Amino acid sequence: MSSSRLTFKLHPLVIVNISDHHTRVKSQQAHEISNGESSPRVFGCVIGIQRGRTVEIFNSFELLFDPASDSLDRAFLDKKQDLYKKVFPNFYILGWYSTGSDAQESDMQIHKALMDINESPVYVLLNPAINHAQKDLPVTIYESELHVIDGIPQLIFVRSNYTIETVEAERISVDHVAHLKPSDGGSAATQLAAHLTGIHSAIKMLNSRIRILHHYLLAMQRGEIPCENSLLRQTSSLLRRLPAIESVKFQDDFLMEYNDTLLMTYLAMFTNCSSKMNELVDKFNIAYDKQSRRGGRTAFI
């Protein structure tokens, strides 16, 4: 792991942009991929703000890559940088992004080429391969560190931790995408099942991480591992929020929303029952009318 102690905050828009870039390039080169060639890699720059030791990555834009020379089109990069500066004057180029399962040796050439823009660029790598068993996001953030290997100083990629940071507009967008109706015409019940499954997985993951944190703190208390003050401060800050859910106001608001949800459920159930009852009555009326006509014709004859 990196020793720079920088705090990285990654916004969902960056992940969506990289994924969209890869999907478009892959669909455009579908014929080449079907002939046995590997999935194409995409490249771009990430932009954002650095405040002290906190690096917040807000957005990204695509770049042109020359596979023959393993280099980026610098004229295109400068043009895009000038355009983004006009729209986002407070954003700076923090580094670059690419796709793949792991960092490659040729990536260091691109990394060094961007050091004249940012002396310590960030490398965001997205793995487009689908792994259903993986619970974490397939995104890795690398920093470069100078290490002496066999007496020769060399730059190497070192992984860094990051957190997902969202603003209100991004939360609304992500929630909208998550609730889009499947293209295969899935029913509302299917969508509800998928939504509940997602919530169950999120709660299960939260429970697992709380257990890991609990075991870690116990081991720290027993002296089995060294004390980490930064982690203790974050845990203390998290625990100070818990009394808020035990207040009378929280209980009143919770019960109000809970009762509203039950009321909507009951109304939906009553509406469904009334609809079924109306359909049944209509069927009886149709059968009765047919029987009445038959009986009338028999009496007339």
Side-chain angles (χ1 to χ4, degrees), residues 69-87:
S69 59
D70 286 338
S71 61
L72 299 174
D73 188 336
R74 193 54 183 264
F76 183 80
L77 190 157
D78 294 337
K79 181 179 179 181
K80 294 285 287 188
Q81 183 181 8
D82 293 339
L83 292 175
Y84 267 84
K85 268 294 182 182
K86 295 178 180 178
V87 182

Side-chain angles (χ1 to χ4, degrees), residues 41-209:
R41 299 186 69 193
V42 297
F43 300 87
C45 275
V46 293
I47 58 177
I49 301 174
Q50 180 171 356
R51 303 183 185 92
R53 307 198 69 80
T54 301
V55 179
E56 194 164 359
I57 306 174
F58 282 93
N59 206 340
S60 64
F61 59 85
E62 304 171 12
L63 292 177
L64 298 179
F65 178 74
D66 183 7
S69 59
D70 286 338
S71 61
L72 299 174
D73 188 336
R74 193 54 183 264
F76 183 80
L77 190 157
D78 294 337
K79 181 179 179 181
K80 294 285 287 188
Q81 183 181 8
D82 293 339
L83 292 175
Y84 267 84
K85 268 294 182 182
K86 295 178 180 178
V87 182
F88 305 104
N90 297 325
F91 287 1
Y92 297 91
I93 292 182
L94 300 176
W96 62 292
Y97 73 79
S98 181
T99 54
S101 58
D102 202 357
Q104 302 180 8
E105 294 182 2
S106 59
D107 293 344
M108 185 54 72
Q109 299 179 12
I110 302 175
H111 198 78
K112 291 179 180 178
L114 293 176
M115 285 186 172
D116 59 340
I117 299 178
N118 189 319
E119 62 180 11
S120 182
V122 177
Y123 179 23
V124 180
L125 182 66
L126 172 68
N127 186 2
I130 299 176
N131 184 4
H132 297 287
Q134 184 178 357
K135 296 182 179 180
D136 295 330
L137 288 172
V139 178
T140 308
I141 292 182
Y142 292 99
E143 293 181 81
S144 58
E145 291 185 353
L146 187 64
H147 288 201
V148 178
I149 303 175
D150 296 332
I152 303 175
Q154 298 180 14
L155 279 175
I156 63 172
F157 286 122
V158 183
R159 291 193 177 191
S160 299
N161 293 324
Y162 67 90
T163 57
I164 300 296
E165 188 79 8
T166 59
V167 295
E168 187 64 26
E170 288 177 323
R171 283 193 289 269
I172 295 173
S173 300
V174 172
D175 184 69
H176 175 70
V177 172
H179 289 82
L180 284 177
K181 187 174 181 180
S183 59
D184 57 355
S187 62
T190 304
Q191 297 180 58
L192 177 60
H195 177 63
L196 294 178
T197 302
I199 294 178
H200 177 266
S201 300
I203 295 175
K204 185 177 179 180
M205 183 180 297
L206 176 62
N207 183 43
S208 174
R209 293 184 176 182

